Amino acid sequence: MADSGDSIGEDDADGVRIDFCTLGMFIIDEIHFQPPKEPVFDILGGAGPYAALGARLLSPESLSGSIGWIVDAGSDFPTELRQIIASWRTSCLIRETPERLTTRAWNGYGSNERRSFRYTTPKLRLDHESLSDNLLLSRSFHIISSPARCKNEIQGILERRAKASSTPPVFLWEPAPDTCVPEELANCLDTLKHVQVVSPNHAELCSFFGKEGNLNSGEVDRAAIEQCSANWVQSGIGPDGKGFLIVRAGATGCYLASKDTCSWMPAYHQSSSKVVDPTGGGNTFLGGVAACLARVKSPADIKALHEAAAWGSVAASYAIEQVGMPALTSSGAHETWNGSRPLERLAEFKRRLSTG
């Protein structure tokens, strides 16, 4: 259905090192808020673009080409979105599919930011066969899927790259929300053994166990999260059982767990006034996490887990400050996103964490 594709970004050429690649879909969103706020249309969205954003935010311009993702552009693909994608200078593979409409979705927000979602055009899912030869050799992969499909994609990636690379990549799995049910728990526990990092949000994690992730007060149920997390860690994450679980819990922050450690990390933004639209924050978080683990010397080290979570927290902070994507501005040798430098924000956040 899709051709071999064209790339956007001068760094996307065979032989360029790819640190991160996502198999998340590209979606053009329309977002409807509660009145009197007006709806917005043709918003760059989907798990793929947001995950790519997270990895790109923590990549200086010299490493922008190390971020890989795929866009299936239909006959209705807006020129404005092509310009945004080009401005990021990533290794984005754009596959022209003029015989179809681009995947689009309707998002509606009700009271308490309750979100409704539905596709308005047929979706075109990505898999390991979608990867170009260059993207196939990425140092890390973000997969959002059911347990069984995640396992199949990992096997497909490893089989395809067996002759080209002996270095195993970091696989980060984001369970698809509609598959986070008790009936899928056994499949989930099996899939955990094939990934280095798994990251549901707090409600998704608890849903695997038939539990609620929030208390009656609306606050995150930390005790339930810690109990469910212990079950996964004891079952074993990663081929050696030493992988990481990162539970994303919105404004509460995230819970980090492995066989050697467990702790809570606060969110970057501590004021709700900074949060305009939470859409995509979790995907962006995971892009930051994966990019970090792809670049550290020892991705299985406990220090790497905390460093990666800090990267993810800072990346997510940019995604939720506006509707859609943050604004990138290049000025001489420096880039800013929403008027600030992500690496400086990261340094400030780590200082904050170190002082408690």
Side-chain angles (χ1 to χ4, degrees), residues 273-353:
S273 65
K274 299 290 187 180
V275 181
V276 174
D277 180 7
T279 302
N283 306 130
T284 308
F285 179 101
L286 296 180
V289 167
C292 176
L293 294 178
R295 291 172 182 158
V296 296
K297 291 183 178 180
S298 302
D301 188 85
I302 296 303
K303 291 182 180 179
L305 169 62
H306 290 272
E307 180 74 9
W311 281 42
S313 299
V314 168
S317 73
Y318 283 93
I320 62 179
E321 291 176 344
Q322 67 290 306
V323 175
M325 299 295 174
L328 168 62
T329 302
S330 296
S331 177
H334 300 291
E335 294 181 332
T336 61
W337 296 79
N338 288 354
S340 72
R341 298 179 188 173
L343 293 179
E344 291 182 357
R345 184 177 288 192
L346 175 62
E348 180 266 320
F349 184 52
K350 290 165 69 173
R351 286 194 297 270
R352 194 197 312 170
L353 293 175

Side-chain angles (χ1 to χ4, degrees), residues 118-197:
R118 68 172 184 269
Y119 289 103
T120 57
T121 62
K123 62 182 180 182
L124 183 56
R125 197 164 63 177
L126 302 177
D127 59 25
H128 65 275
E129 295 291 350
S130 305
L131 298 169
S132 65
D133 290 345
N134 200 27
L135 297 182
L136 179 65
L137 297 181
S138 175
R139 294 184 174 190
S140 68
F141 290 93
H142 164 247
I143 300 172
I144 177 169
S145 70
S146 68
R149 182 165 174 260
C150 176
K151 183 178 175 180
N152 289 338
E153 293 305 327
I154 290 172
Q155 291 174 338
I157 289 171
L158 293 178
E159 288 173 2
R160 282 193 60 197
R161 60 187 275 157
K163 295 181 180 180
S165 175
S166 59
T167 303
V170 172
F171 288 109
L172 189 157
W173 176 40
E174 179 181 358
D178 60 347
T179 65
C180 298
V181 293
E183 294 77 11
E184 284 288 336
L185 180 57
N187 288 332
C188 172
L189 296 179
D190 179 50
T191 299
L192 292 181
K193 295 175 173 54
H194 298 268
V195 302
Q196 285 70 36
V197 183

Side-chain angles (χ1 to χ4, degrees), residues 23-296:
L23 287 179
M25 283 196 306
F26 178 93
I27 300 173
I28 299 177
D29 285 327
E30 61 177 86
I31 304 175
H32 294 259
F33 305 95
Q34 287 190 296
K37 192 172 183 179
E38 295 293 323
V40 292
F41 300 88
D42 285 352
I43 302 299
L44 180 61
Y50 275 110
L53 169 70
R56 176 64 177 89
L57 281 163
L58 276 301
S59 301
E61 188 172 357
S62 61
L63 291 177
S64 63
S66 70
I67 310 305
W69 50 306
I70 299 172
V71 173
D72 287 310
S75 59
D76 58 338
F77 200 84
T79 300
E80 295 78 7
L81 297 191
R82 290 184 188 272
Q83 294 170 344
I84 293 174
I85 294 170
S87 72
W88 291 5
R89 295 177 295 279
T90 57
S91 290
C92 178
L93 178 65
I94 291 193
R95 305 191 300 180
E96 302 295 343
T97 55
E99 73 281 3
R100 60 181 284 276
L101 295 176
T102 309
T103 302
R104 290 178 177 266
W106 180 95
N107 299 262
Y109 284 96
S111 58
N112 297 319
E113 294 187 347
R114 185 176 180 85
R115 182 189 180 206
S116 299
F117 175 90
R118 68 172 184 269
Y119 289 103
T120 57
T121 62
K123 62 182 180 182
L124 183 56
R125 197 164 63 177
L126 302 177
D127 59 25
H128 65 275
E129 295 291 350
S130 305
L131 298 169
S132 65
D133 290 345
N134 200 27
L135 297 182
L136 179 65
L137 297 181
S138 175
R139 294 184 174 190
S140 68
F141 290 93
H142 164 247
I143 300 172
I144 177 169
S145 70
S146 68
R149 182 165 174 260
C150 176
K151 183 178 175 180
N152 289 338
E153 293 305 327
I154 290 172
Q155 291 174 338
I157 289 171
L158 293 178
E159 288 173 2
R160 282 193 60 197
R161 60 187 275 157
K163 295 181 180 180
S165 175
S166 59
T167 303
V170 172
F171 288 109
L172 189 157
W173 176 40
E174 179 181 358
D178 60 347
T179 65
C180 298
V181 293
E183 294 77 11
E184 284 288 336
L185 180 57
N187 288 332
C188 172
L189 296 179
D190 179 50
T191 299
L192 292 181
K193 295 175 173 54
H194 298 268
V195 302
Q196 285 70 36
V197 183
V198 57
S199 183
N201 68 29
H202 69 286
E204 293 160 355
L205 170 67
C206 292
S207 184
F208 272 111
F209 296 89
K211 299 176 180 289
E212 294 291 332
N214 295 304
L215 301 169
N216 291 334
S217 64
E219 295 181 353
V220 169
D221 189 342
R222 293 191 180 217
I225 292 167
E226 292 170 10
Q227 181 182 28
C228 295
S229 295
N231 180 286
W232 279 16
V233 170
Q234 290 169 8
S235 175
I237 301 172
D240 58 1
K242 297 181 180 180
F244 303 141
L245 167 62
I246 304 177
V247 184
R248 295 167 282 114
T252 303
C254 60
Y255 182 66
L256 315 177
S258 73
K259 284 198 170 179
D260 300 314
T261 188
C262 60
S263 62
W264 284 89
M265 179 179 289
Y268 178 82
H269 285 313
Q270 292 297 297
S271 171
S272 60
S273 65
K274 299 290 187 180
V275 181
V276 174
D277 180 7
T279 302
N283 306 130
T284 308
F285 179 101
L286 296 180
V289 167
C292 176
L293 294 178
R295 291 172 182 158
V296 296

